[in-house]
Amino acid sequence: MESKIPSKDQLYIFDLSEKVVKSLELLYFDSETSEEVQLKTDGKPEEVSVSKTPQSSKPKDVNYYKSDLHKYNLKRNVLGLPPLTEDEFDEVLEKQSIESLSGSESEAEEDDEEEDEKVDQNELKLKALISKLSLNTDSDERGSVSYLNTKSPFILFKSNLLSSDSAFGAYKSLFSNSELLNSPLEALKGFSKLKEKKSALFMIGGGHFAGAIISHKQKSTKGNAPNMKVTKEEQAVDILTSKTFHRYTTRRKQGGAQSANDNAKGKANSAGAGIRRYNEQALITEIRELLQEWKSYLSECSSIYIRANGAANRKILVGYEGSVLQNDDARIKSFPFTTKRATTSELKRAWIELTYLKPVELPKVNEKLKKKLETEKLQVQQSGKDKPKTPEPLSIDETHSIEIINLLKKQKAPKLLSYVKQNKISVNEFRLKPDSKYIATPTLLHYASANSLNHMVQILLVNLKADPTLFNQVNRYPIEVASDITTRNVFQICRQKLGEDYCDWDSAKVGPPKSKEEFESEEKAEAERIKSEKQQRIKEELARKTELEMKKPSIVSSGSLGGSRGLINDLNSLSEDQKLRIMREQRARAAEARFKQ
């Protein structure tokens, strides 16, 4: 006999009912097909090993969670692979010729610049290793099992209180890394010990800010009158303190922060831009003063949830000089779902969404992939051959080329500037890979020019100091591969901005320096000239036709209307003012003709 589904107030994670806790059982899934794996009586998955970090008799040092080994094991865990020990990881590093990225000891002191370069190189190497890990998953590792092998943001728990095709879900962001890798079920049961604690919630974006300190202990709602606008769960949320701010910082209709626009296109001088810059600084000051005021509350919080749109907004809250919250604070987490505008009511809604177990459907089995894997396995068994080799991973330069070209095509100037800076890419030395694909456009400036990416041409020249005197494999400069005159004009505008000392513009085949206003003035003058010539031709043609009509005897007869249809058709292409002016001239000429007769 199935039990009744518990009410929502019994599913609050900091006060789970005993009936719910006893019914929970951690679910495991196949890494490729998302098929549920049945457990044996000893609690282990049938015929497969569970991907869990081995328990150590000694507690791990804090530095472990900053090391390469921890990062690499996290990636393996996501792929459903068992974690490596330190010795195994060292062996992998040695085979791949990769040095440790973090947590390693320095044998000699080096200059700061050399240290930074070394760290960046090591970081790229580690990324390459992790990328290769994703590609080179061996056949004996396929089908590995873990409770993390779902695309869902939840850890799923089976319960006899639900139907067989449903499970309780708890958001992964509720757990720390160690709790996720070790035993989420035990961690969930231990949340009741945090009932007297607090959590902080912050949202910022579009000039709106909302923050609150919420007690894990719910308020009593007994005796409260029913309210159609506020749910019972919202009434139970105990907000110890909250604050909201709003400042006009985003550009209407165009969207985006004023500072982002300044970084991408240069500082605007309009009155609205000045107001938005002032409001951005005022909002930052207000928020940081609030964080300082709440410092005692934040020190008591067990979790701090932040939703910040972009790195700039996040830096308002975390990691600035003298900040209350530091980047390495393990309590800082993100909301694992989409949120709306930052308001106190939205903070309440997000807190309720986070802190209640949710009945969800089990992940659907990928039947196509399951059949494909079974077919591959059968073919290998029949042929007696190993599975086909996976393609070699892309080189670092090829990876950079793909990322940069995507940013150029989408004309994402701020992201391109950030990517080039983070990866220390020289726009003049870097060449797009593979070489055979980019014979005509080896440099970023060649590529942008050839594809008429005019805004990116200006960003490359003015912001990234690209060299227009470099030529491709067929000895052509960037301006020579430009596909239209507008792109060539951009080079001349950049010449005027950067000055003659920037490079040998004449050698680069760039025309004389001109401002954008000069080009616009020339275009306007040319348009006016063409329009004037067209009107003059029309007048001359009409005058000629009128003179011919006047010489005909039938000009005053009733049949003259039919003979002037061509003239009427010509008038249809003119504006009302032009028609009236021409008709007046025609009437005057007709009157003169009658007087002469």
Side-chain angles (χ1 to χ4, degrees):
M1 180 178 178
E2 290 189 359
S3 302
K4 184 180 178 182
I5 297 176
S7 59
K8 192 164 183 178
D9 59 348
Q10 294 178 299
L11 301 178
Y12 183 58
I13 63 168
F14 297 111
D15 193 17
L16 287 172
S17 68
E18 188 176 351
K19 179 176 70 173
V20 173
V21 171
K22 288 183 178 179
S23 71
L24 297 178
E25 184 180 341
L26 191 60
L27 284 177
Y28 296 86
F29 300 90
D30 178 76
S31 62
E32 293 194 340
T33 61
S34 298
E35 185 175 11
E36 181 187 348
V37 177
Q38 300 296 327
L39 302 183
K40 290 183 177 181
T41 55
D42 60 358
K44 293 183 179 180
E46 187 174 358
E47 296 181 355
V48 287
S49 59
V50 181
S51 298
K52 290 178 67 178
T53 303
Q55 296 288 342
S56 174
S57 58
K58 296 181 181 180
K60 287 186 172 65
D61 183 23
V62 176
N63 290 330
Y64 165 77
Y65 296 103
K66 302 178 183 179
S67 65
D68 295 346
L69 175 58
H70 178 61
K71 294 179 182 180
Y72 192 65
N73 278 338
L74 283 177
K75 180 64 177 178
R76 288 180 66 85
N77 197 288
V78 170
L79 295 173
L81 305 178
L84 299 181
T85 63
E86 290 186 15
D87 293 338
E88 292 171 337
F89 182 62
D90 289 339
E91 185 177 349
V92 172
L93 290 177
E94 186 176 353
K95 287 181 180 179
Q96 300 297 328
S97 299
I98 296 179
E99 299 176 353
S100 178
L101 170 63
S102 57
S104 61
E105 296 182 0
S106 177
E107 296 181 3
E109 295 184 356
E110 297 178 353
D111 294 333
D112 291 341
E113 293 183 0
E114 293 175 352
E115 288 283 352
D116 292 341
E117 291 177 3
K118 183 177 179 181
V119 168
D120 286 335
Q121 287 296 323
N122 290 335
E123 185 173 357
L124 291 174
K125 290 178 181 178
L126 183 63
K127 285 180 180 178
L129 178 61
I130 291 176
S131 175
K132 190 171 183 179
L133 174 65
S134 302
L135 294 171
N136 296 337
T137 306
D138 296 330
S139 59
D140 58 346
E141 291 175 330
R142 298 179 89 172
S144 58
V145 172
S146 172
Y147 46 82
L148 296 173
N149 284 339
T150 63
K151 296 180 180 179
S152 168
F154 299 103
I155 294 288
L156 300 179
F157 301 93
K158 194 173 183 180
S159 172
N160 55 18
L161 304 177
L162 300 174
S163 60
S164 58
D165 60 347
S166 300
F168 282 121
Y171 280 108
K172 294 174 184 177
S173 60
L174 291 168
F175 306 91
S176 65
N177 285 339
S178 58
E179 288 172 341
L180 270 181
L181 296 176
N182 292 322
S183 179
L185 180 56
E186 293 302 318
L188 183 63
K189 293 177 180 178
F191 282 164
S192 59
K193 298 177 183 178
L194 303 176
K195 191 174 181 180
E196 302 300 325
K197 294 283 188 180
K198 310 175 185 66
S199 286
L201 278 70
F202 297 105
M203 294 182 183
I204 181 172
H208 295 268
F209 167 82
I213 306 295
I214 299 179
S215 171
H216 294 179
K217 189 174 182 179
Q218 293 180 305
K219 292 190 296 188
S220 174
T221 58
K222 291 182 179 179
N224 289 5
N227 191 331
M228 298 297 290
K229 294 183 178 180
V230 182
T231 64
K232 182 179 177 182
E233 290 75 26
E234 288 178 323
Q235 294 178 36
V237 177
D238 187 8
I239 296 181
L240 302 178
T241 183
S242 66
K243 192 71 176 177
T244 60
F245 298 119
H246 171 60
R247 292 275 185 169
Y248 167 55
T249 62
T250 57
R251 302 160 67 234
R252 298 299 184 224
K253 296 184 181 180
Q254 299 181 50
Q258 183 62 46
S259 58
N261 184 69
D262 290 345
N263 292 334
K265 299 181 180 179
K267 190 173 182 179
N269 295 320
S270 65
I275 292 172
R276 289 189 290 270
R277 287 190 201 98
Y278 172 81
N279 285 341
E280 282 184 358
Q281 293 304 314
L283 183 64
I284 292 171
T285 302
E286 289 172 341
I287 293 172
R288 290 179 177 176
E289 287 177 353
L290 179 68
L291 292 177
Q292 197 65 37
E293 184 182 331
W294 286 2
K295 188 173 182 179
S296 58
Y297 276 124
L298 293 172
S299 63
E300 299 172 358
C301 290
S302 60
S303 296
I304 300 171
Y305 292 92
I306 292 177
R307 188 221 65 189
N309 295 339
N313 279 331
R314 182 179 176 84
K315 197 169 182 180
I316 296 174
L317 298 168
V318 182
Y320 57 90
E321 186 177 353
S323 63
V324 178
L325 302 176
Q326 300 299 326
N327 287 317
D328 58 354
D329 193 332
R331 300 175 299 164
I332 296 178
K333 304 170 183 177
S334 300
F335 291 97
F337 45 80
T338 303
T339 59
K340 299 178 183 177
R341 177 176 289 177
T343 61
T344 304
S345 59
E346 182 62 12
L347 291 177
K348 277 188 178 183
R349 187 195 71 82
W351 178 250
I352 293 167
E353 178 71 18
L354 269 171
T355 55
Y356 284 84
L357 289 182
K358 289 184 171 36
V360 296
E361 293 184 359
L362 292 176
K364 294 182 180 180
V365 178
N366 191 334
E367 296 291 348
K368 290 184 179 180
L369 182 57
K370 188 176 180 180
K371 290 179 180 179
K372 181 181 178 182
L373 294 174
E374 290 175 352
T375 304
E376 287 181 0
K377 186 176 180 181
L378 183 62
Q379 289 175 350
V380 170
Q381 289 176 349
Q382 290 176 350
S383 63
K385 297 179 180 180
D386 295 331
K387 68 167 188 176
K389 294 183 179 179
T390 55
E392 293 185 3
L394 298 174
S395 67
I396 294 174
D397 284 348
E398 288 175 331
T399 303
H400 286 329
S401 297
I402 293 171
E403 291 293 333
I404 289 173
I405 287 172
N406 286 335
L407 294 175
L408 286 173
K409 285 181 177 179
K410 295 177 182 178
Q411 303 209 50
K412 301 285 187 180
K415 290 186 177 181
L416 176 66
L417 294 171
S418 176
Y419 188 86
V420 169
K421 183 178 179 182
Q422 287 179 359
N423 294 281
K424 293 191 174 181
I425 296 173
S426 171
V427 295
N428 294 323
E429 296 178 4
F430 181 77
R431 295 293 180 270
L432 295 173
K433 300 294 182 181
D435 294 332
S436 57
K437 186 177 180 180
Y438 301 103
I439 294 175
T441 58
T443 70
L444 307 190
L445 190 57
H446 275 95
Y447 186 89
S449 177
N451 291 275
S452 298
L453 304 172
N454 300 335
H455 178 54
M456 302 310 289
V457 169
Q458 186 168 343
I459 292 296
L460 288 168
L461 285 168
V462 178
N463 296 73
L464 294 175
K465 308 302 179 186
D467 187 356
T469 62
L470 298 176
F471 46 80
N472 58 18
Q473 294 183 24
V474 291
N475 296 328
R476 299 189 71 188
Y477 296 104
I479 195 171
E480 292 183 297
V481 299
S483 55
D484 55 48
I485 191 170
T486 305
T487 304
R488 290 191 285 273
N489 292 346
V490 171
F491 280 87
Q492 292 179 255
I493 293 171
C494 292
R495 179 174 182 175
Q496 194 268 342
K497 286 185 177 182
L498 295 171
E500 296 301 308
D501 295 335
Y502 180 76
C503 68
D504 189 350
W505 295 100
D506 294 329
S507 296
K509 305 294 179 66
V510 177
K514 286 186 180 180
S515 65
K516 184 178 180 181
E517 291 74 17
E518 289 176 321
F519 277 113
E520 290 176 350
S521 177
E522 289 178 359
E523 289 176 1
K524 186 177 180 180
E526 180 65 16
E528 289 292 336
R529 186 187 65 79
I530 293 172
K531 182 179 178 181
S532 177
E533 289 180 355
K534 183 178 179 181
Q535 290 178 347
Q536 184 63 31
R537 285 197 300 271
I538 291 173
K539 286 182 180 180
E540 292 174 356
E541 184 66 20
L542 287 173
R544 186 181 66 79
K545 288 185 178 181
T546 302
E547 187 176 352
L548 290 174
E549 291 293 332
M550 289 172 60
K551 291 180 178 179
K552 293 180 181 179
S554 60
I555 190 166
V556 293
S557 65
S558 59
S560 62
L561 181 62
S564 62
R565 283 178 183 170
L567 182 62
I568 293 172
N569 291 335
D570 289 339
L571 293 177
N572 289 336
S573 63
L574 303 178
S575 66
E576 291 298 325
D577 290 340
Q578 291 172 331
K579 288 178 182 179
L580 290 173
R581 187 166 60 252
I582 292 171
M583 293 299 292
R584 282 197 298 269
E585 292 178 359
Q586 288 178 338
R587 286 195 293 270
R589 290 176 181 274
E592 288 177 0
R594 287 196 296 272
F595 282 130
K596 288 180 180 180
Q597 289 178 355

